C-alpha cells in the first residue's frame, strides 16, 4: 500500500528511502524545495510540489504520514489536510507531538471520519541503515494493522522494534517517556565522566574508560557507545560549548510526573541541569549572591 | 571570669566587644596586627602580641575561646596552645569546624587534662547589636557551665539564644545542620524570585513583593528580610555576578546525609546548584553536547 | 463599601469577621448551612440562603469576593454569578486558582462588562488576629483601588501586607510562587531536623534546638516558629504519620519552572519528596529491586 | 603464572573458574568451608584450609588476588597477609573498596616492599560466561603488567574489557564512578517505567515496551535488557517489595562530587531516592506533617 510522506527532513527523507527500499511506493512532499530535491531520483519515491498533490496521488483509503516538527508545522499541516481527506483515510503523526495534543487531534479528525495514529520514532540518522524503533497508538486493531504495514518496513526487522502500544496518544506518550529516560541516562553518564575528569591528579583517559565500559560493564549502552565514539577525537571535550538545549519531550515528561504525582527526581534534575547550562539559573544565583552580601550587611528595616 | 579571645576578625572582634560590654575582661590576640589595632582602646579588652601572652594573662583555670577559620588556622593554633595550657583549662572552638574534627581534638586535649567545647555561633555582623545564637557541645555539666558564663553574655538575652546541645561535637554538628537548612531556604527563596522575574510580561516588582511577604505571609523569615533589604536598591540584581561560593558546612551536611543514609534532596540540590554557578558543571555539559552531536553522527565502532 | 463574601469556610469566615470589625458590611453566603450558622450573630455580617440573595443585597456597582476551593467549586460559582452580575461589578477570586485559569476567567467576565481581580491570600488561621498577606492582580488602577479598600482592612496594617502586583493573573501567580518557596523552606527545615535526629548517639533535643534557632540565627522564620511550637509537645514526631499531602500550587510552581525553562531544583525536589511520602515511588522502587535481582540473574534473551 | 584467589563467593569463585579455564593455576581460599566446597573438583583450582596455606602454595614473587567484601573483611585479611608476604609480592584488591582506603593500603604495603593494585570488577554472575570488565590502578608499568596477565583471561577478550587506568586508587575510583553512573541510569529507567504504569487508562504493557526499546531506540542498554527480562514474568512488579538497598559505591560517588565540588544531581538524587525507599525519609515527613498541622494551629509563642 502506497503512502504519502509529508516532511522530508533528516528523519522523513530517510524513512521515505527505507520504505521505498522495502517496496512501498512513497508520495513525498516537503514545503522546502531543497528537501524535495535532496530526494530526487530516489527509486520508489515520487516528489510533489504541494500537499494536495501528494495526497491526491494516493488511492483511497489513503495513509498520510507526517514527519514534521511538533507544534505549528504539524498543526497547520493537519488543518490543511482536513480539506483533502475523506472518511476512511488515516493520518499518522510520526513527529514528537505532545500526547495530549494527539488525543485532541484524533477527536477532531474523527469528526470527519478520518483515522489518526500517533507514532513515536526513535533512531536518528542511524535509522536508515539499522531500522527505527516505532511505538504507536491507534484507536482500534484495524487502524493499528494499517500502521503496522509501514512499521514492519521501518523497524530493524519485521517482527521487532515496533509496537502498537495502546489507544491514540499511547504512541507519543511512550516516546515522550523514552526521551525522558534518555535525559536521565545521558546526565548520569555526563556526571560520571565529569567526576573522572575532576580527579585531575589521576590523569584518567576518559576515552579509554568509555571504550572499556562498553565491554562487559553494567553501564554498557548505546549512549555510552556514542560517548566513546565522541571521546575518540583528541580534544573532543574542549571542542564544544557547555550548552545543552532541551526539547519538548523532556519538559513534558516532568509535566507528566507532576500531573500524575509520580516522583521523577532524576529526570527532573536532568532537565533542570540543562536549563542551568543555558544560563537560566543566573537570576537565582544573583539573588543568592545578594543574600550572602547581606549577611555582612547594612541595616535591615524592621 | 576573664577569657582569652583568639582571632579578632569580624566575628571575634565583635564578640570580644560584646563580652567586654557585659563586664567580662577579654585578653585578645590575633596574628594580624591590623586586627589587633582595630580593637585598640576598646574598654575591657586587652590586646596581646602573642598567643602565649594572651594565655598567660589569664588566671587559672583558663578559658581560651578560638574564633578562627576552620582548618589550618584552627589546627595550628590548637597545636600551639597545647604547650601553654594546664590541666583544668578549657578551650572553646567557636569557629565552623567539622564536628568530627572537634571530637578528635577533644580527645587529644583530654590527654593533657584540658577540656574542650565546640560552639557554633550564628549571627554575623548583626550579632554585636542583637546578640548571637550559640549552640555548644561539652563533655559534662561542669564544662557546659563554664561555657554558659560567656554564652549568656553573647546571646540576645541571658535566658535564650544559647544551648548546651549535647556531648562534644554536638555544637559544631548542630551549627552544621543549621547552615545546611540555610542553604535550602536561601535556594528556595532565590528560585521563587527568579520565577517571578521570569514571567516577564507581568513586570513584577520583586522588591515590593519581598517587602509584602514580610507581613503576614508563611515565608516570612530573616532571609526574606535580607532579600527585601537587598532588593530595595534599584538595579540590585544586575549589580552582582551570578556566582555563589560555598563553604564547608553545606558540603559537610550532605556528607552527613550520605553517612546517615538520610535523604536530604533539597539541601543537596542547593549545594550542587552552587557548584553549577561556579562553572563546575561545564565538563558534564560539554559531554552532553557531544552526545547530542553524536545523535546526528558519524559511525560508532562496534 | 459593602461586599459579598462567598465561601465561609475557615478562611472566608475569618475574613468576613475581620472586614466587619473594620466597619465593612459583609453579605455572606456559603452553600453549607453549617458554615453559615457558624457566623450567625457576627456583628456586621448578614447571612443569605443563596448566592443570588447575597449578590442582590449589594448596591451597584457590586464587589463579590470568592473564598472557595480552586477548581470545580470556583468554576461553578463563577458560572452562576454570570447571570447575577451587571456591567461595572467586580469579582475578586481570593482562592488558590491557577493563574492561567484566572486570566481566562477575567476575559470571559470582561465580555459581560464585569471586572475580575485575582487575590492570593496567605495567613491561615492566624489571619483573623494578625491580618492577612494579600497579593492581587487587577486590570487597571480603578479595579485595583476597589480591591485595596478591602485589602487595607484585611492586611496586618492599612499600609503594609497587601500589594497590587500587576495585571490580572499576577495575584494568583505571586501566591503560587509564594507557596512554591514555602515547599522548599519547609523541606529544608524538615531535612535538617531529620539529620539532627539521625545522629542518634548525640541525643539532641529537637524542640530545644528549634527554640534556640528562633533567637538570633540565620534560619529564624515563621515556619521555624511553627516547628518549635509543634516540637514542644512531648512525642510530637511520633504522633503523626510520615505522609505529606500536596496541593495545586506546589505542582503549578514546578509546571511554571518547566514552562519558563528556569531551574527550580529545590522546589521540584520538595514536591517530589512529598509524592514519595504518598507511596508514589513504589512502582519505580519495585522496578529497581527487580533490576538488582537481575544482576544475580537468569538468562537475558538476546 | 599461578595466583592465589582469596574470597570464593559469587564473584571470586567464578573468577577462579575463568582463570583456571584459561590455564592459570589458582590457589583458592575462603574462610567459609561451604564456599571452598562449592569449588571442589574444579580443574585447575586447588583449595586451601587457611590463608597462609594458599599463599605458601605460590612460588615467589607471589600474586594474591582478594575478592572480599570491602571494609572489615578486606582490612583484616590485608592485616593477616602482611606477615605472609615478602618483598616483590603483589596484592590485587578486586573488591569494591573506597579508593582512598586503597591508596592508604598501598602505602602501608609499600613499606614492606609489597606491591598493591586496586582492580574494580564489573560483570556479576554473567562474568563467568561473558567475561568481566576490569579497571585497575597500579603504581608502575611493571605492576600493571603483572595484573594484565590475569585481566586478559578474565576480560571478555584478551584485548578489550580491561584497562590500567592510572596510579594506585585509579581502579577503585573508576569502578566507583561506574557504579555511580549505574545508579543514575537505573533510576532513570525506573522512573520512566513508573510513569508508563501511572498513565493507567492506557493500560500499557511495560514488558512489551521494554522489549521494544531494546531494538533501535536511544535508551537501549544492558540495564534495559535486564528490565525487559524481569518484566517478562507475569506479575513481576508486584512480586518484589519497593525497597532498594544501596551499597558503598553510590554513597562514595556522592562524597566525591562534594569533595570535588562537581555537581552530580542525578547520581545524588538516585542515591537519596533509595534512602527514601528504605524508610529513611520518615522523620522528615513527620516533621512536614507537623508543620502543616501547625498552619491550622494553636498559639505559637513569641
Amino acid at each position: 500500500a502506497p503512502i504519502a510522506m509529508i516532511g522530508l527532513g533528516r528523519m522523513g527523507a530517510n524513512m521515505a528511502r527505507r520504505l521505498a527500499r522495502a517496496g512501498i511506493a512513497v508520495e513525498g512532499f516537503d514545503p522546502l524545495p531543497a528537501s524535495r530535491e535532496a530526494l530526487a531520483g530516489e527509486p520508489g519515491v515520487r516528489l510533489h510540489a504541494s500537499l494536495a498533490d501528494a495526497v491526491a496521488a494516493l488511492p483511497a483509503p489513503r495513509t498520510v504520514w507526517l514527519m514534521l516538527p511538533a507544534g505549528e508545522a504539524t498543526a497547520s499541516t493537519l488543518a490543511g489536510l482536513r480539506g483533502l481527506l475523506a472518511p476512511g483515510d488515516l493520518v499518522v503523526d510520526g513527529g514528537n507531538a505532545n500526547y495530549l495534543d494527539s488525543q485532541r487531534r484524533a477527536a477532531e479528525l474523527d469528526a470527519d471520519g478520518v483515522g489518526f495514529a500517533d507514532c513515536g520514532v526513535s533512531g536518528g540518522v542511524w535509522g536508515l541503515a539499522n531500522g527505527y524503533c516505532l511505538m504507536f497508538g491507534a484507536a482500534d486493531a484495524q487502524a493499528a494493522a494499517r500502521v503496522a504495514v509501514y512499521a514492519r518496513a521501518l523497524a530493524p526487522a519485521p517482527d521487532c522494534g515496533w509496537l502498537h502500544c495502546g489507544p491514540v496518544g499511547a504512541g507519543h506518550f511512550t516516546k515522550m517517556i523514552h526521551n525522558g529516560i534518555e535525559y536521565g541516562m545521558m546526565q548520569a553518564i555526563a556526571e560520571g565522566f565529569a567526576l573522572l575528569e575532576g580527579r585531575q591528579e589521576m590523569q584518567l583517559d576518559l576515552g579509554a574508560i568509555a571504550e572499556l565500559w562498553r565491554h562487559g560493564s553494567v553501564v554498557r549502552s548505546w549512549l555510552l557507545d556514542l560517548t566513546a565514539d565522541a571521546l575518540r577525537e583528541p580534544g573532543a571535550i574542549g571542542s564544544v560549548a557547555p550548552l545543552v538545549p532541551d526539547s519538548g519531550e523532556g519538559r513534558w515528561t516532568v509535566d507528566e510526573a507532576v500531573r500524575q504525582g509520580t516522583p521523577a527526581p532524576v529526570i527532573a534534575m536532568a532537565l533542570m541541569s540543562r536549563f542551568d547550562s543555558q544560563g537560566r539559573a543566573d537570576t537565582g544565583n544573583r539573588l543568592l549572591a545578594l543574600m550572602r552580601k547581606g549577611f555582612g550587611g547594612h541595616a535591615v528595616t524592621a
Side-chain angles (χ1 to χ4, degrees), chain A:
Chain A
I3 191 171
M5 180 65 67
I6 310 302
L8 302 171
R10 207 168 55 174
M11 288 293 284
N14 278 344
M15 289 168 70
R17 287 185 180 99
R18 191 163 167 101
L19 287 166
R21 291 173 194 179
I24 292 170
V26 177
E27 309 293 340
F29 170 70
D30 191 286
L32 289 180
S35 294
R36 299 198 300 265
E37 282 156 25
L39 267 183
E42 182 75 24
V45 179
R46 282 201 300 186
L47 297 161
H48 299 272
S50 73
L51 178 63
D53 288 353
V55 171
L58 292 173
R62 304 174 189 95
T63 301
V64 178
W65 192 298
L66 308 185
M67 285 308 296
L68 297 163
E72 176 48 27
T74 296
S76 64
T77 301
L78 277 167
L81 274 176
R82 291 190 71 174
L84 304 172
L85 299 178
D89 290 346
L90 177 71
V91 175
V92 183
D93 182 3
N96 278 333
N98 188 310
Y99 80 97
L100 298 169
D101 287 334
S102 298
Q103 289 177 332
R104 184 176 44 72
R105 287 164 180 167
E108 289 166 5
L109 288 170
D110 186 60
D112 300 347
V114 173
F116 180 89
D118 53 299
C119 183
V121 183
S122 184
V125 294
W126 311 97
L128 175 56
N130 302 344
Y132 298 90
C133 181
L134 300 106
M135 47 213 98
F136 59 91
D140 53 39
Q142 197 186 353
R146 285 173 70 180
V147 180
V149 169
Y150 310 101
R152 271 190 280 269
L154 290 166
D159 63 346
C160 78
W162 64 270
L163 185 71
H164 174 210
C165 297
V168 167
H172 283 153
F173 182 83
T174 302
K175 179 58 164 40
M176 174 186 87
I177 299 300
H178 166 276
N179 285 30
I181 294 173
E182 176 191 322
Y183 272 60
M185 290 176 70
M186 284 176 72
Q187 179 72 23
I189 293 170
E191 290 177 5
F193 280 90
L195 289 166
L196 291 175
E197 200 265 350
R199 183 58 40 215
Q200 294 185 354
E201 77 278 15
M202 287 191 183
Q203 297 200 281
L204 300 170
D205 179 339
L206 270 54
I209 291 172
E211 181 60 34
L212 168 72
W213 285 344
R214 297 181 64 215
H215 306 281
S217 91
V218 168
V219 299
R220 63 190 188 263
S221 56
W222 190 69
L223 287 164
L224 182 68
D225 294 344
L226 275 187
T227 306
D229 194 50
L231 291 174
R232 204 161 285 126
E233 305 281 328
I237 294 179
S239 73
V240 289
L243 174 71
V244 195
D246 72 285
S247 59
E249 300 198 314
R251 297 190 183 203
W252 300 335
T253 303
V254 177
D255 286 343
E256 176 70 17
V258 170
R259 195 180 294 119
Q260 288 189 15
T262 298
V266 152
I267 297 176
M269 288 305 98
L271 177 67
M272 290 189 174
S273 184
R274 291 195 182 190
F275 294 166
D276 225 315
S277 83
Q278 298 162 23
R280 298 304 311 270
D282 281 1
T283 299
N285 287 332
R286 288 181 202 276
L287 282 154
L288 289 166
L290 277 177
M291 276 186 247
R292 282 174 55 86
K293 210 170 139 190
F295 291 159
H298 34 293
V300 172
T301 60

